[in-house]
Amino acid sequence: MGMWRDSDWLQSHIQRILEFYHPDCIDTAHGGYIAQFDEETGDIYEKRSKHLVATCRFITNYSIGHRVLDRNWCQSACEHGLDFLLDYHHDETQGGFHWIVEGREPIDSKRVCYGHAFVLLALARAKEADIVSWDIPLVETTDFVMERFWEDEHGLCKSEYDSTWTRPEAYRGQNANMHMCEALIAVYEATHDDQYLDDALTIAEALTVALTQKTDGLIWEHYAPTWEHDFMYNRETPNDTFRPWGYQPGHQIEWAKLLAILSRHSEADWLIRRAEELFRLSIDYGWDSDRGGFYYSFDREGAPVVTEKYSWEVAEAIGAAAALYERTGDSQYLDWYDTFWQYATTHMTNSEFGNWYTKVTETNEPVPTTEGIAVEPGYHPIGACTEALRSIA
């Protein structure tokens, strides 16, 4: 049995990841968090840029740290980030949240569904962790976000607006909706309001069942305004940060995890069936059986497109395997859980500090992030540990 099935090891792994960033990530000059860390050395390479996704992921991480590890510094760090989110990312005039803040000034105010989903997740996790020194406006914010982004005729969310909420982007995307589903599950778990669970199930069925009828059960990333598949969108930019072309094995298996989690709250018979199918499709098309790891993407014929391997993919696979083992009792998922952890601890983890690299090459050589605005302060591996604690340990 691997050490990664042990609750003490999983908790210590969460703490090591948090401590890679903490306390240097706490911006005492401007508020909020500093996310731009050299993943090899731990040095900070830029201090002023605040991405909405990074802010919310830090809040989520510290909420989990407070709840799972019972560390006082996690609570104070979480409150520090919540203050910045609601004072500086939040737009009091127009409503919603700025995408990028420089210091304390917004420099990109487009309204992005993907980012707003992480706002809801962060607020829900903070409420779940009883970090409530003031009233967290979870329900009010969730209802506002859903009112703005939700398209009732499709049971899915728009992707983006301008800063005044007057011009919706034509593009529709699966990624934003997947994370909105994740967020709505968290809001439901924090409030027990069935409306949020119903909305999460509606998104899940639309994307993993209805829209996969034309793609042999696989989930495509990009869509036209009325939710027809757009197979040419970003064809020339398969490495795009948020909207890469091609099928993503990581998203097939991330959906497998979300469907397994939904099955805790719903008796819908399609949830586990589709979760198991998506888990298998991700392995069949994306797992490198020789060297381990998931290719980043594959084309419509099933051939790898981007062969670099991102850590979020194997982290989501760990969570999916854990949840599916809990929900089915099938030992194959426990075997895959061990396989994924073996790969992650060997190739994705910085052995000196315990943080995870964003990505490695096809042959598993680390590619540390040393420039650009960062959005992933350990959210995915901490999530993997959290799901493992809930499902296995």
Side-chain angles (χ1 to χ4, degrees):
M1 184 180 80
M3 58 189 175
W4 33 81
R5 298 189 200 175
D6 179 73
S7 60
D8 289 340
W9 185 88
L10 290 164
Q11 289 172 334
S12 69
H13 197 62
I14 291 173
Q15 182 158 333
R16 286 198 75 197
I17 295 169
L18 289 171
E19 289 178 345
F20 173 74
Y21 298 98
H22 188 87
D24 293 344
C25 67
I26 304 296
D27 187 344
T28 56
H30 305 99
Y33 305 110
I34 298 165
Q36 286 70 237
F37 281 68
D38 183 318
E39 295 172 350
E40 193 76 61
T41 66
D43 296 332
I44 293 171
Y45 61 83
E46 197 267 320
K47 291 186 175 182
R48 289 178 59 83
S49 298
K50 319 285 186 179
H51 199 290
L52 180 60
V53 174
T55 297
C56 294
R57 285 176 169 177
F58 267 118
I59 291 168
T60 300
N61 290 350
Y62 280 123
S63 297
I64 291 169
H66 176 62
R67 182 170 58 84
V68 172
L69 305 176
D70 193 24
R71 300 290 188 269
N72 289 334
W73 53 269
C74 287
Q75 176 167 353
S76 59
C78 182
E79 291 174 340
H80 175 84
L82 285 165
D83 288 341
F84 189 85
L85 175 67
L86 296 174
D87 289 344
Y88 298 105
H89 275 295
H90 185 236
D91 186 336
E92 290 283 353
T93 304
Q94 300 289 343
F97 294 81
H98 302 296
W99 186 234
I100 299 175
V101 175
E102 187 83 11
R104 291 178 174 175
E105 296 299 320
I107 61 170
D108 187 344
S109 293
K110 63 189 175 188
R111 302 296 192 245
V112 183
C113 181
Y114 182 91
H116 283 70
F118 277 101
V119 171
L120 303 186
L121 182 70
L123 295 179
R125 293 300 183 223
K127 179 175 175 56
E128 187 179 34
D130 291 325
I131 298 175
V132 287
S133 58
W134 39 262
D135 183 37
I136 297 175
L138 174 60
V139 171
E140 173 188 339
T141 306
T142 304
D143 291 347
F144 175 85
V145 168
M146 291 298 285
E147 177 188 346
R148 292 304 175 112
F149 286 107
W150 186 251
E151 294 186 288
D152 197 51
E153 66 271 32
H154 301 293
L156 291 162
C157 292
K158 300 184 188 75
S159 292
E160 190 176 305
Y161 280 90
D162 65 310
S163 62
T164 60
W165 297 103
T166 54
R167 294 188 303 276
E169 186 185 20
Y171 172 85
R172 300 292 187 267
Q174 133 6 72
N175 196 12
N177 278 274
M178 179 183 70
H179 284 291
M180 189 60 76
C181 178
E182 173 190 34
L184 288 166
I185 296 170
V187 174
Y188 167 74
E189 290 175 342
T191 66
H192 307 292
D193 186 328
D194 288 340
Q195 181 59 54
Y196 303 124
L197 176 61
D198 291 344
D199 290 342
L201 285 162
T202 299
I203 292 172
E205 189 165 15
L207 275 170
T208 69
V209 180
L211 288 172
T212 61
Q213 300 305 306
K214 297 180 180 179
T215 49
D216 297 322
L218 290 163
I219 299 165
W220 187 249
E221 295 292 316
H222 312 300
Y223 298 85
T226 52
W227 285 94
E228 296 92 0
H229 298 73
D230 186 344
F231 292 113
M232 294 308 296
Y233 185 88
N234 275 358
R235 181 67 183 86
E236 304 307 316
T237 53
N239 280 304
D240 187 88
T241 301
F242 294 111
R243 300 178 180 180
W245 184 86
Y247 291 107
Q248 292 205 281
H251 283 163
Q252 316 299 315
I253 211 161
E254 190 166 0
W255 265 116
K257 181 192 80 171
L258 291 175
L259 297 183
I261 291 170
L262 277 168
S263 77
R264 294 187 181 124
H265 308 302
S266 169
E267 296 180 358
D269 57 6
W270 60 271
L271 288 166
I272 288 298
R273 173 175 54 80
R274 278 302 283 146
E276 294 194 281
E277 289 169 357
L278 289 166
F279 188 98
R280 177 49 56 189
L281 287 167
S282 182
I283 300 295
D284 290 346
Y285 284 103
W287 183 252
D288 182 345
S289 57
D290 295 324
R291 292 164 294 212
F294 288 94
Y295 298 123
Y296 186 55
S297 58
F298 59 93
D299 65 21
R300 296 183 65 195
E301 285 69 48
V305 176
V306 177
T307 56
E308 291 172 316
K309 297 157 182 178
Y310 284 69
S311 60
W312 68 263
E313 298 176 286
V314 73
E316 291 305 317
I318 289 167
L324 277 169
Y325 175 68
E326 182 228 307
R327 301 306 297 157
T328 68
D330 189 334
S331 62
Q332 69 162 316
Y333 296 116
L334 201 54
D335 293 340
W336 275 113
Y337 173 85
D338 290 340
T339 297
F340 296 147
W341 264 121
Q342 180 68 60
Y343 173 81
T345 52
T346 303
H347 299 296
M348 288 294 185
T349 307
N350 183 339
S351 58
E352 182 175 357
F353 298 113
N355 61 297
W356 286 33
Y357 299 112
T358 296
K359 65 180 177 180
V360 299
T361 65
E362 183 177 2
T363 55
N364 297 318
E365 298 301 318
V367 184
T369 296
T370 56
E371 60 183 5
I373 187 167
V375 298
E376 166 52 330
Y379 156 78
H380 285 284
I382 286 175
C385 293
T386 307
E387 189 55 50
L389 284 167
R390 180 159 63 169
S391 296
I392 290 179

